[in-house]
Amino acid sequence: MAELRTAELSIAGRLPWSSNLTFLVVLESDDGQDGPPLNAVYKPASGEQSLWDFPDGLYRREVAAYALSEALGWGLVPPTVVRDDGPFGPGSLQLFVEADYEQHYFTLLEEGGHDDLLRTMCAFDVVANNADRKSGHVLQGACDRLWAIDHGLCFHRQTKLRTVIWDFVGEAVPDRVLADLKQLAANPPGELADLLSDEELEALAERTAWLLHSGVFPEPIGDRPYPWPMV
């Protein structure tokens, strides 16, 4: 989406309940487009809290998650780009998704009718090594489309999978998901090289190969398989 890369950014406010500084911004466009301006979520590097186990620059992982989702053809992550000219310096800019915020992973699972996409999301988190898949990081947008957000704690080279999506443990990964993973293994997206380290890229390839070989959704690993808070 070109506007994410080129539009002037105007801060509308700070988004609450975020561990790092996160802002809602308005994309100010001069192209005369009809309709209201688009909104986006801006996460500047300058607003990140340093972590002992992840290097600084978590915003790059947000962009890497979008690149991975697109490479797989799954469309799970809203369009996300790097903006070096943000109001508070370099950071990620993600299209804001209008959603029913009463809905999240647990309610959607209980409601039914979303299992195929939730299985795809589960596979995504395994491959991306998502260390923070809270229930509230699964959104239901327009036309009942599901979105996955908040991927700053992904792609660590060590296994750190912490997620609420453990409902498919031991099930076979759907054939269509495996087919997409085979394509990823054969043609990894080149833009990831600008966003992740060589060690992280190697670990991503290893996780992909492992899931392809196993063919089943894994069991929880370690003593902290769930994020906190869970929603």
Side-chain angles (χ1 to χ4, degrees), residues 54-68:
F54 277 84
D56 293 341
L58 300 180
Y59 73 92
R60 296 188 184 91
R61 298 169 191 274
E62 299 275 4
V63 183
Y66 171 68
L68 177 63

Side-chain angles (χ1 to χ4, degrees), residues 149-208:
I149 63 167
D150 283 344
H151 296 102
L153 298 184
C154 288
F155 301 108
H156 200 284
R157 59 186 178 83
Q158 299 175 342
T159 301
K160 289 185 176 289
L161 184 61
R162 290 192 289 270
T163 175
V164 296
I165 309 180
W166 293 113
D167 299 275
F168 310 114
V169 167
E171 289 188 14
V173 179
D175 289 343
R176 59 174 181 78
V177 172
L178 292 175
D180 294 336
L181 290 172
K182 288 180 182 178
Q183 288 295 321
L184 174 70
N187 299 289
E191 58 263 45
L192 289 181
D194 296 325
L195 301 165
L196 303 173
S197 69
D198 290 344
E199 292 81 5
E200 290 165 343
L201 290 172
E202 182 179 352
L204 171 62
E206 290 173 353
R207 290 191 299 271
T208 303

Side-chain angles (χ1 to χ4, degrees), residues 63-133:
V63 183
Y66 171 68
L68 177 63
S69 172
E70 291 301 290
L72 287 163
W74 293 349
L76 297 173
V77 181
T80 312
V81 302
V82 170
R83 282 291 295 260
D84 291 324
D85 60 345
F88 296 103
S92 63
L93 191 67
Q94 182 174 94
L95 183 68
F96 178 77
V97 174
E98 294 285 352
D100 178 357
Y101 297 109
E102 296 297 318
Q103 295 277 37
H104 49 84
Y105 172 75
F106 292 136
T107 64
L108 293 165
L109 183 69
E110 183 177 5
E111 177 182 276
H114 307 286
D115 284 4
D116 285 348
L117 190 50
L118 294 176
R119 286 183 176 89
T120 302
M121 203 172 291
C122 180
F124 179 84
D125 285 345
V126 171
V127 171
N129 196 21
N130 193 346
D132 193 36
R133 173 64 71 208

Side-chain angles (χ1 to χ4, degrees), residues 134-145:
K134 296 179 174 68
S135 185
H137 294 172
V138 180
L139 303 181
Q140 185 177 41
C143 302
D144 291 335
R145 179 169 180 175

Side-chain angles (χ1 to χ4, degrees), residues 43-61:
K43 297 184 177 182
S46 60
E48 296 176 0
Q49 297 186 42
S50 294
L51 302 174
W52 69 269
D53 54 346
F54 277 84
D56 293 341
L58 300 180
Y59 73 92
R60 296 188 184 91
R61 298 169 191 274

